[in-house]
Amino acid sequence: MHLQNKWEGKNYTKDEILFASFVNGAISALAFKFFELIKIPGLTSGKGSYKAISKQISTKFIRGIISSISFKTFSKIFTYNLAGTFTGILCSGLMNAINANDLLVDFYNRRPLDYF
């Protein structure tokens, strides 16, 4: 939206940009959680899936009981996170394609919380 201000002559305020970014981020996070619920054998479900490996290594790292990981394990974690992040990118792109940011700015400017 900042680039739209610079290049397209829009006049979004910082608060409008922050609000739209927060909503877009929340929708992207929900999309990632939805992605985790979809059972894709080898990626998100099953023993030895990329999701299971990612959780296992993350837990070991947090507990401090791991000193290094192999490139193959790192690649599986990276692939899992990349697939999950793609869903967020897809949602963000869809929001831009349907001009949802303008709708969010209109909603923000109505300020429904001011009435309470």
Side-chain angles (χ1 to χ4, degrees):
M1 292 176 76
H2 177 71
L3 294 177
Q4 288 176 324
N5 282 350
K6 294 281 186 191
W7 295 337
E8 295 178 8
K10 300 276 186 170
N11 195 20
Y12 296 119
T13 66
K14 288 182 182 179
D15 289 341
E16 291 169 343
I17 294 171
L18 183 64
F19 177 75
S21 296
F22 176 77
V23 173
N24 281 326
I27 290 171
S28 294
L30 288 173
F32 183 77
K33 286 298 179 186
F34 180 71
F35 165 75
E36 287 184 330
L37 294 176
I38 299 172
K39 295 191 184 289
I40 303 170
L43 186 63
T44 61
S45 70
K47 186 176 180 180
S49 69
Y50 288 13
K51 178 181 177 181
I53 291 169
S54 181
K55 283 187 173 187
Q56 179 186 26
I57 297 300
S58 297
T59 301
K60 286 182 178 183
F61 178 76
I62 290 169
R63 292 183 181 166
I65 57 175
I66 191 169
S67 60
S68 64
I69 61 171
S70 68
F71 181 75
K72 185 177 178 181
T73 301
F74 174 79
S75 298
K76 289 179 181 182
I77 295 169
F78 181 78
T79 302
Y80 171 71
N81 287 325
L82 186 66
T85 303
F86 179 73
T87 59
I89 292 169
L90 189 64
C91 285
S92 183
L94 185 61
M95 296 274 291
N96 285 333
I98 62 172
N99 287 329
N101 289 332
D102 290 334
L103 297 173
L104 290 172
V105 168
D106 289 341
F107 176 78
Y108 176 80
N109 288 327
R110 280 191 234 143
R111 298 189 189 257
L113 296 177
D114 289 344
Y115 298 111
F116 296 106

